[in-house]
PDB file of all heavy atoms in Angstrom:
ATOM      1  N   ASP A 278     -53.265 -14.657 -20.843  1.00 80.00           N
ATOM      2  CA  ASP A 278     -53.633 -14.681 -19.425  1.00 80.00           C
ATOM      3  C   ASP A 278     -54.216 -16.041 -19.121  1.00 80.00           C
ATOM      4  O   ASP A 278     -55.300 -16.402 -19.624  1.00 80.00           O
ATOM      5  CB  ASP A 278     -54.701 -13.598 -19.150  1.00 80.00           C
ATOM      6  CG  ASP A 278     -55.051 -13.474 -17.678  1.00 80.00           C
ATOM      7  OD1 ASP A 278     -54.667 -14.399 -16.904  1.00 80.00           O
ATOM      8  OD2 ASP A 278     -55.704 -12.507 -17.305  1.00 80.00           O
ATOM      9  N   SER A 279     -53.493 -16.840 -18.309  1.00 72.00           N
ATOM     10  CA  SER A 279     -53.923 -18.200 -18.024  1.00 72.00           C
ATOM     11  C   SER A 279     -55.198 -18.265 -17.223  1.00 72.00           C
ATOM     12  O   SER A 279     -55.889 -19.281 -17.212  1.00 72.00           O
ATOM     13  CB  SER A 279     -52.826 -18.946 -17.247  1.00 72.00           C
ATOM     14  OG  SER A 279     -52.576 -18.311 -16.004  1.00 72.00           O
ATOM     15  N   MET A 280     -55.578 -17.127 -16.569  1.00 68.00           N
ATOM     16  CA  MET A 280     -56.777 -17.098 -15.746  1.00 68.00           C
ATOM     17  C   MET A 280     -58.010 -16.591 -16.487  1.00 68.00           C
ATOM     18  O   MET A 280     -59.103 -16.531 -15.949  1.00 68.00           O
ATOM     19  CB  MET A 280     -56.538 -16.267 -14.495  1.00 68.00           C
ATOM     20  CG  MET A 280     -55.412 -16.750 -13.620  1.00 68.00           C
ATOM     21  SD  MET A 280     -55.705 -18.397 -12.974  1.00 68.00           S
ATOM     22  CE  MET A 280     -57.056 -18.076 -11.867  1.00 68.00           C
ATOM     23  N   CYS A 281     -57.793 -16.135 -17.739  1.00 64.00           N
ATOM     24  CA  CYS A 281     -58.896 -15.558 -18.464  1.00 64.00           C
ATOM     25  C   CYS A 281     -59.884 -16.634 -18.919  1.00 64.00           C
ATOM     26  O   CYS A 281     -59.465 -17.647 -19.519  1.00 64.00           O
ATOM     27  CB  CYS A 281     -58.374 -14.771 -19.656  1.00 64.00           C
ATOM     28  SG  CYS A 281     -59.658 -13.911 -20.615  1.00 64.00           S
ATOM     29  N   SER A 282     -61.168 -16.417 -18.708  1.00 50.00           N
ATOM     30  CA  SER A 282     -62.200 -17.396 -19.083  1.00 50.00           C
ATOM     31  C   SER A 282     -62.554 -17.282 -20.552  1.00 50.00           C
ATOM     32  O   SER A 282     -63.211 -18.146 -21.102  1.00 50.00           O
ATOM     33  CB  SER A 282     -63.423 -17.212 -18.211  1.00 50.00           C
ATOM     34  OG  SER A 282     -63.931 -15.902 -18.378  1.00 50.00           O
ATOM     35  N   ILE A 283     -62.138 -16.175 -21.191  1.00 53.00           N
ATOM     36  CA  ILE A 283     -62.490 -15.975 -22.620  1.00 53.00           C
ATOM     37  C   ILE A 283     -61.325 -16.536 -23.465  1.00 53.00           C
ATOM     38  O   ILE A 283     -60.207 -16.029 -23.436  1.00 53.00           O
ATOM     39  CB  ILE A 283     -62.676 -14.477 -22.938  1.00 53.00           C
ATOM     40  CG1 ILE A 283     -63.783 -13.904 -22.050  1.00 53.00           C
ATOM     41  CG2 ILE A 283     -62.998 -14.296 -24.400  1.00 53.00           C
ATOM     42  CD1 ILE A 283     -63.969 -12.411 -22.208  1.00 53.00           C
ATOM     43  N   ASP A 284     -61.601 -17.612 -24.193  1.00 56.00           N
ATOM     44  CA  ASP A 284     -60.566 -18.305 -24.927  1.00 56.00           C
ATOM     45  C   ASP A 284     -60.424 -17.747 -26.343  1.00 56.00           C
ATOM     46  O   ASP A 284     -60.771 -18.420 -27.322  1.00 56.00           O
ATOM     47  CB  ASP A 284     -60.850 -19.802 -24.943  1.00 56.00           C
ATOM     48  CG  ASP A 284     -59.714 -20.614 -25.533  1.00 56.00           C
ATOM     49  OD1 ASP A 284     -58.578 -20.072 -25.555  1.00 56.00           O
ATOM     50  OD2 ASP A 284     -59.941 -21.755 -25.950  1.00 56.00           O
ATOM     51  N   HIS A 285     -59.941 -16.513 -26.410  1.00 51.00           N
ATOM     52  CA  HIS A 285     -59.724 -15.978 -27.759  1.00 51.00           C
ATOM     53  C   HIS A 285     -58.309 -15.419 -27.913  1.00 51.00           C
ATOM     54  O   HIS A 285     -57.948 -14.852 -28.951  1.00 51.00           O
ATOM     55  CB  HIS A 285     -60.742 -14.855 -28.095  1.00 51.00           C
ATOM     56  CG  HIS A 285     -60.541 -13.615 -27.273  1.00 51.00           C
ATOM     57  ND1 HIS A 285     -61.377 -13.292 -26.236  1.00 51.00           N
ATOM     58  CD2 HIS A 285     -59.650 -12.616 -27.382  1.00 51.00           C
ATOM     59  CE1 HIS A 285     -60.987 -12.142 -25.705  1.00 51.00           C
ATOM     60  NE2 HIS A 285     -59.935 -11.728 -26.390  1.00 51.00           N
ATOM     61  N   THR A 286     -57.481 -15.557 -26.883  1.00 59.00           N
ATOM     62  CA  THR A 286     -56.128 -15.072 -26.931  1.00 59.00           C
ATOM     63  C   THR A 286     -55.231 -16.047 -27.691  1.00 59.00           C
ATOM     64  O   THR A 286     -55.205 -17.230 -27.413  1.00 59.00           O
ATOM     65  CB  THR A 286     -55.564 -14.856 -25.514  1.00 59.00           C
ATOM     66  OG1 THR A 286     -56.469 -14.042 -24.788  1.00 59.00           O
ATOM     67  CG2 THR A 286     -54.195 -14.223 -25.558  1.00 59.00           C
ATOM     68  N   GLU A 287     -54.474 -15.528 -28.612  1.00 73.00           N
ATOM     69  CA  GLU A 287     -53.520 -16.382 -29.376  1.00 73.00           C
ATOM     70  C   GLU A 287     -52.399 -16.815 -28.483  1.00 73.00           C
ATOM     71  O   GLU A 287     -52.007 -16.139 -27.539  1.00 73.00           O
ATOM     72  CB  GLU A 287     -52.977 -15.600 -30.557  1.00 73.00           C
ATOM     73  CG  GLU A 287     -54.021 -15.233 -31.611  1.00 73.00           C
ATOM     74  CD  GLU A 287     -53.398 -14.475 -32.773  1.00 73.00           C
ATOM     75  OE1 GLU A 287     -53.321 -13.236 -32.656  1.00 73.00           O
ATOM     76  OE2 GLU A 287     -52.975 -15.137 -33.728  1.00 73.00           O
ATOM     77  N   ASN A 288     -51.865 -18.016 -28.794  1.00 83.00           N
ATOM     78  CA  ASN A 288     -50.786 -18.592 -28.001  1.00 83.00           C
ATOM     79  C   ASN A 288     -49.485 -18.039 -28.438  1.00 83.00           C
ATOM     80  O   ASN A 288     -48.639 -18.708 -29.054  1.00 83.00           O
ATOM     81  CB  ASN A 288     -50.794 -20.115 -28.145  1.00 83.00           C
ATOM     82  CG  ASN A 288     -49.755 -20.778 -27.252  1.00 83.00           C
ATOM     83  OD1 ASN A 288     -49.434 -20.261 -26.175  1.00 83.00           O
ATOM     84  ND2 ASN A 288     -49.207 -21.883 -27.711  1.00 83.00           N
ATOM     85  N   LEU A 289     -49.272 -16.768 -28.122  1.00 88.00           N
ATOM     86  CA  LEU A 289     -48.033 -16.096 -28.532  1.00 88.00           C
ATOM     87  C   LEU A 289     -47.627 -15.012 -27.552  1.00 88.00           C
ATOM     88  O   LEU A 289     -48.460 -14.527 -26.757  1.00 88.00           O
ATOM     89  CB  LEU A 289     -48.153 -15.516 -29.939  1.00 88.00           C
ATOM     90  CG  LEU A 289     -49.280 -14.527 -30.223  1.00 88.00           C
ATOM     91  CD1 LEU A 289     -48.897 -13.116 -29.800  1.00 88.00           C
ATOM     92  CD2 LEU A 289     -49.635 -14.541 -31.716  1.00 88.00           C
ATOM     93  N   LEU A 290     -46.356 -14.651 -27.577  1.00 91.00           N
ATOM     94  CA  LEU A 290     -45.851 -13.569 -26.789  1.00 91.00           C
ATOM     95  C   LEU A 290     -45.249 -12.514 -27.725  1.00 91.00           C
ATOM     96  O   LEU A 290     -44.387 -12.860 -28.545  1.00 91.00           O
ATOM     97  CB  LEU A 290     -44.793 -14.022 -25.780  1.00 91.00           C
ATOM     98  CG  LEU A 290     -44.265 -13.016 -24.754  1.00 91.00           C
ATOM     99  CD1 LEU A 290     -43.865 -13.668 -23.451  1.00 91.00           C
ATOM    100  CD2 LEU A 290     -43.039 -12.232 -25.312  1.00 91.00           C
ATOM    101  N   SER A 291     -45.713 -11.283 -27.638  1.00 93.00           N
ATOM    102  CA  SER A 291     -45.217 -10.212 -28.495  1.00 93.00           C
ATOM    103  C   SER A 291     -44.398  -9.212 -27.676  1.00 93.00           C
ATOM    104  O   SER A 291     -44.755  -8.949 -26.520  1.00 93.00           O
ATOM    105  CB  SER A 291     -46.378  -9.477 -29.173  1.00 93.00           C
ATOM    106  OG  SER A 291     -47.127 -10.362 -30.000  1.00 93.00           O
ATOM    107  N   ILE A 292     -43.359  -8.693 -28.277  1.00 95.00           N
ATOM    108  CA  ILE A 292     -42.511  -7.680 -27.634  1.00 95.00           C
ATOM    109  C   ILE A 292     -42.526  -6.426 -28.507  1.00 95.00           C
ATOM    110  O   ILE A 292     -42.182  -6.486 -29.698  1.00 95.00           O
ATOM    111  CB  ILE A 292     -41.070  -8.168 -27.415  1.00 95.00           C
ATOM    112  CG1 ILE A 292     -41.069  -9.429 -26.559  1.00 95.00           C
ATOM    113  CG2 ILE A 292     -40.232  -7.076 -26.761  1.00 95.00           C
ATOM    114  CD1 ILE A 292     -39.683 -10.023 -26.371  1.00 95.00           C
ATOM    115  N   TRP A 293     -42.910  -5.303 -27.890  1.00 96.00           N
ATOM    116  CA  TRP A 293     -42.953  -4.006 -28.593  1.00 96.00           C
ATOM    117  C   TRP A 293     -41.904  -3.095 -27.956  1.00 96.00           C
ATOM    118  O   TRP A 293     -41.684  -3.132 -26.746  1.00 96.00           O
ATOM    119  CB  TRP A 293     -44.325  -3.351 -28.415  1.00 96.00           C
ATOM    120  CG  TRP A 293     -45.474  -4.112 -29.028  1.00 96.00           C
ATOM    121  CD1 TRP A 293     -46.040  -5.256 -28.575  1.00 96.00           C
ATOM    122  CD2 TRP A 293     -46.177  -3.773 -30.225  1.00 96.00           C
ATOM    123  NE1 TRP A 293     -47.082  -5.652 -29.386  1.00 96.00           N
ATOM    124  CE2 TRP A 293     -47.181  -4.755 -30.425  1.00 96.00           C
ATOM    125  CE3 TRP A 293     -46.058  -2.706 -31.161  1.00 96.00           C
ATOM    126  CZ2 TRP A 293     -48.052  -4.708 -31.499  1.00 96.00           C
ATOM    127  CZ3 TRP A 293     -46.916  -2.685 -32.220  1.00 96.00           C
ATOM    128  CH2 TRP A 293     -47.913  -3.661 -32.394  1.00 96.00           C
ATOM    129  N   MET A 294     -41.270  -2.269 -28.779  1.00 96.00           N
ATOM    130  CA  MET A 294     -40.250  -1.355 -28.291  1.00 96.00           C
ATOM    131  C   MET A 294     -40.667   0.079 -28.612  1.00 96.00           C
ATOM    132  O   MET A 294     -41.126   0.371 -29.711  1.00 96.00           O
ATOM    133  CB  MET A 294     -38.877  -1.648 -28.942  1.00 96.00           C
ATOM    134  CG  MET A 294     -37.780  -0.666 -28.501  1.00 96.00           C
ATOM    135  SD  MET A 294     -36.162  -1.093 -29.249  1.00 96.00           S
ATOM    136  CE  MET A 294     -35.738  -2.526 -28.243  1.00 96.00           C
ATOM    137  N   MET A 295     -40.504   0.987 -27.639  1.00 96.00           N
ATOM    138  CA  MET A 295     -40.751   2.416 -27.892  1.00 96.00           C
ATOM    139  C   MET A 295     -39.405   3.051 -28.327  1.00 96.00           C
ATOM    140  O   MET A 295     -38.500   3.259 -27.534  1.00 96.00           O
ATOM    141  CB  MET A 295     -41.265   3.073 -26.605  1.00 96.00           C
ATOM    142  CG  MET A 295     -41.603   4.556 -26.775  1.00 96.00           C
ATOM    143  SD  MET A 295     -42.311   5.290 -25.261  1.00 96.00           S
ATOM    144  CE  MET A 295     -44.083   5.187 -25.640  1.00 96.00           C
ATOM    145  N   LYS A 296     -39.294   3.316 -29.602  1.00 95.00           N
ATOM    146  CA  LYS A 296     -38.025   3.823 -30.172  1.00 95.00           C
ATOM    147  C   LYS A 296     -37.702   5.221 -29.668  1.00 95.00           C
ATOM    148  O   LYS A 296     -36.542   5.533 -29.452  1.00 95.00           O
ATOM    149  CB  LYS A 296     -38.108   3.801 -31.713  1.00 95.00           C
ATOM    150  CG  LYS A 296     -38.286   2.408 -32.298  1.00 95.00           C
ATOM    151  CD  LYS A 296     -37.047   1.528 -32.063  1.00 95.00           C
ATOM    152  CE  LYS A 296     -35.903   1.970 -32.952  1.00 95.00           C
ATOM    153  NZ  LYS A 296     -34.725   1.090 -32.779  1.00 95.00           N
ATOM    154  N   GLU A 297     -38.715   6.091 -29.547  1.00 95.00           N
ATOM    155  CA  GLU A 297     -38.521   7.443 -29.041  1.00 95.00           C
ATOM    156  C   GLU A 297     -39.348   7.572 -27.766  1.00 95.00           C
ATOM    157  O   GLU A 297     -40.554   7.592 -27.839  1.00 95.00           O
ATOM    158  CB  GLU A 297     -38.938   8.493 -30.060  1.00 95.00           C
ATOM    159  CG  GLU A 297     -38.125   8.444 -31.356  1.00 95.00           C
ATOM    160  CD  GLU A 297     -36.695   8.859 -31.144  1.00 95.00           C
ATOM    161  OE1 GLU A 297     -36.423   9.620 -30.182  1.00 95.00           O
ATOM    162  OE2 GLU A 297     -35.835   8.425 -31.917  1.00 95.00           O
TER     163      GLU A 297
END
Side-chain angles (χ1 to χ4, degrees):
D278 185 348
S279 62
M280 300 299 291
C281 183
S282 59
I283 303 175
D284 188 19
H285 68 256
T286 306
E287 295 180 271
N288 184 31
L289 56 83
L290 185 149
S291 299
I292 301 177
W293 297 74
M294 178 178 287
M295 181 177 264
K296 297 292 288 183
E297 298 292 334

